[in-house]
Amino acid sequence: MAIEHDFFGLLESGPDGSIFWSENIEFGDQSVTVDLTAPDQEDVSQAALDVAAAMVSSLETLDMSARNAMVNELDDRTSEVTEYLLQQQATFGDQLEELLVDISGDTHIDIIRSLQLMSMTILADEHGGADPFAVLEYALDPDATDDVLLVNLASDGTVQSVTSAD
């Protein structure tokens, strides 16, 4: 079986009924991997695909919301964002400034601004549910695949949580 969608094209299901779509999207001066997945094609509605397409098209807006959510967590010294930023400072030490795109004097803000959006995973079967519909993955060092922050989004685009990959 397959699902046809204007944005994603023909989404064919695998032998287990799952669907998967992947594309590299140019975002600023980088390439972001966007994956759409669902374990069972039967759980994916046209509305979910429409929302997913809108999210891909508004990646810049979602990125800004995600970064603002990270900034909002800076007041909490025990938040995963704060712990991630402190870890990055410890890991890179004096070389940290070389990774920053802008140096304003507020190191935590500068790190958040400098994080690279690595990927967006859309969990198409979670449309309208309590679990994340999309997950944005950020890294300061693109080669450190385990050292990332994950921003979980609801299907309406609101930020549900920001977590580290640990």
Side-chain angles (χ1 to χ4, degrees), residues 70-83:
M70 290 178 209
V71 169
N72 290 338
E73 291 204 14
L74 291 178
D75 291 338
D76 181 357
R77 300 291 295 156
T78 62
S79 76
E80 292 194 42
V81 172
T82 302
E83 289 180 18

Side-chain angles (χ1 to χ4, degrees), residues 83-96:
E83 289 180 18
Y84 176 85
L85 298 176
L86 292 172
Q87 176 193 5
Q88 296 305 299
Q89 286 178 280
T91 299
F92 291 105
D94 293 339
Q95 285 86 32
L96 181 64

Side-chain angles (χ1 to χ4, degrees), residues 13-53:
S13 61
D16 60 353
S18 65
I19 60 170
F20 183 78
W21 176 89
S22 185
E23 190 80 31
N24 285 330
I25 307 290
E26 293 306 313
F27 180 71
D29 60 350
Q30 66 182 19
S31 180
V32 177
T33 302
V34 178
D35 296 328
L36 179 133
T37 184
D40 188 350
Q41 172 184 321
E42 300 299 319
D43 294 336
V44 179
S45 66
Q46 283 294 322
L49 294 175
D50 291 344
V51 168

Side-chain angles (χ1 to χ4, degrees), residues 30 63 67 70-71 85 99-117 138-140:
Q30 66 182 19
D63 176 58
R67 291 176 195 271
M70 290 178 209
V71 169
L85 298 176
L99 297 170
L100 302 179
V101 295
D102 186 29
I103 299 175
S104 69
D106 185 334
T107 304
H108 288 170
I109 296 293
D110 295 344
I111 293 172
I112 290 172
R113 284 184 188 151
S114 302
L115 290 172
Q116 293 184 41
L117 176 58
Y138 291 88
L140 186 59

Side-chain angles (χ1 to χ4, degrees), residues 80-81 83-84 87 146-151 162-166:
E80 292 194 42
V81 172
E83 289 180 18
Y84 176 85
Q87 176 193 5
D146 292 337
D147 220 4
V148 298
L149 277 177
L150 304 172
V151 178
V162 182
T163 61
S164 62
D166 296 342

Side-chain angles (χ1 to χ4, degrees), residues 123 131-136 150-154 157-163:
L123 309 162
D131 289 333
F133 180 72
V135 180
L136 302 176
L150 304 172
V151 178
N152 299 306
L153 304 173
T158 58
V159 175
Q160 291 178 313
S161 64
V162 182
T163 61

